[in-house]
Amino acid sequence: MGEYTLKTDFASLEEPQGNEYLMDFREIIRKAFEHSDNRLRLLGTC
């Protein structure tokens, strides 16, 4: 699969893709809040 986002249907992924999604989750969250102000960015901080 291409790029994963928060809208990716995790339940429909095969095991290798699911593992990749979980490994990339921190980066997915960072990208989701990339252009937000600091208050919203705190929600995405792991």
Side-chain angles (χ1 to χ4, degrees):
M1 186 172 191
E3 188 173 350
Y4 300 110
T5 67
L6 290 175
K7 294 182 179 183
T8 300
D9 183 10
F10 178 75
S12 69
L13 298 175
E14 298 288 328
E15 186 176 349
Q17 290 83 20
N19 290 337
E20 183 179 349
Y21 178 85
L22 292 175
M23 295 297 290
D24 292 342
F25 195 71
R26 181 177 286 217
E27 183 67 16
I28 293 168
I29 295 296
R30 187 193 65 75
K31 285 181 181 180
F33 290 95
E34 192 169 49
H35 299 290
S36 301
D37 66 18
N38 287 334
R39 289 177 291 161
L40 289 176
R41 290 181 68 123
L42 288 174
L43 295 173
T45 303
C46 297

